Amino acid sequence: MCDYRIVDRMIKANKIPLLDHIHSVKGHDPWAEWFERVNLPRSLLTSSQEWGGVLLQDAAAKVGQMLALCLERAHCSGKCFGGFDIRDVYYIEYYQLIDINAPMKDFTSRRYINDWLSFNKIIDDHFRYTDPTSGYLSYTLYMEDFMFRISLLEDVPSTGRSWRERAVFFKNISLESSERRVQIVEGLVGFYRERLTSDRELFEEVLQDCGYWKRKTRTVPRMSSALTYSVKNELQDWVPANHYFENCGYSQLYFCRCFFGHYTVPGRVCALSCSFLRSYGTIGL
């Protein structure tokens, strides 16, 4: 039979203060292991002023994911910390987990909000980079939207009680890899195709507010060619390969899937590059 005292000692021996772990990974050069600057190819830019953006590297994203999942483990069991400090947070190297060494209390929406505000502070303090042009601290791709969502929790006093509400936070795409974001798009298209008509209509309602996405997409050279791609029909006439519709969320989503599947070229346009297209208002992930 397992001696749980030995297991407990093993866990404690592998507990590293999260702040120490972050400092050890970041080192003296945060661009080596923490942040990644990605320059887009000219075919994915609309002006000479644009260049690309900054992503979290895998080690940094992993820390964010582990911290978010640590909160969810508490919240889904009906508990909260009610707020915490980074000095309360430990990285358990052996199990690749994060542990928050703070008293747990019964779940309330106020305590739930405070937990995510504490998460927000850690992101602000350790997951922003200094923009080389402006000199200001900036969020990596998608992270600003994530932090904005957290700030809006204050306006929803009964939040956090359903898994769906919480999933927007603990499964947020700002902490996912570029490849995973592309997989999500492909999965959503597959999900739509398997639905009945009534279910598809519900799906389309969720994606409805997408604006004039085709107009914006045409400003990106490589994407414009994908949007207007034509094939010959049985009469040997050139016709659009796909019909895309303005103000239609699923149409935009399907275009994303086609672009990712057919227009990513190893060494030229990759999933990493595609991740940045949302920041130019062209496609959304």
Side-chain angles (χ1 to χ4, degrees), residues 40-41 43-45 182 185-186 189 213 217 220-229 242 244 251-265 268-278 282-283 285:
L40 289 176
S43 62
L44 293 179
L45 300 176
V182 170
V185 171
E186 294 171 342
V189 170
W213 70 273
T217 300
V220 182
R222 191 169 185 84
M223 296 181 71
S224 181
S225 66
L227 192 66
T228 58
Y229 182 74
N242 292 294
Y244 302 112
S251 195
Q252 182 188 28
L253 187 73
Y254 185 71
F255 171 79
C256 295
R257 178 259 173 198
C258 291
F259 185 78
F260 295 153
H262 301 294
Y263 279 75
T264 52
V265 181
R268 293 175 59 193
V269 180
C270 61
L272 189 64
S273 297
C274 290
S275 284
F276 285 93
L277 298 178
R278 177 184 180 275
T282 48
I283 62 177
L285 295 181

Side-chain angles (χ1 to χ4, degrees), residues 108-211:
T108 68
S109 291
R110 181 66 259 175
R111 289 169 180 164
Y112 172 80
I113 293 169
N114 287 343
D115 282 350
W116 281 108
L117 290 176
S118 298
F119 179 95
N120 190 340
K121 186 176 189 317
I122 291 175
I123 295 295
D124 280 354
D125 291 346
H126 303 286
F127 288 75
R128 289 188 295 172
Y129 66 95
T130 302
D131 188 289
T133 303
S134 67
Y136 294 126
L137 287 172
S138 301
Y139 291 111
T140 53
L141 187 67
Y142 300 103
M143 189 63 76
E144 186 169 7
D145 177 73
F146 187 14
M147 297 302 102
F148 179 66
R149 286 178 180 271
I150 291 175
S151 71
L152 293 180
L153 285 172
E154 298 276 14
D155 301 325
V156 190
S158 61
T159 190
R161 297 191 177 275
S162 77
W163 182 89
R164 287 185 178 182
E165 287 178 346
R166 299 196 306 271
V168 175
F169 298 93
F170 76 85
K171 294 177 74 70
N172 194 273
I173 62 167
S174 64
L175 301 172
E176 297 285 0
S177 67
S178 303
E179 290 75 13
R180 175 59 184 149
R181 286 192 282 267
V182 170
Q183 288 172 4
I184 290 170
V185 171
E186 294 171 342
L188 286 172
V189 170
F191 176 83
Y192 177 89
R193 286 174 165 174
E194 294 171 358
R195 299 306 100 188
L196 299 173
T197 301
S198 58
D199 291 334
R200 288 185 176 187
E201 289 172 353
L202 290 172
F203 189 89
E204 290 167 3
E205 285 180 18
V206 174
L207 298 173
Q208 190 174 18
D209 186 17
C210 61

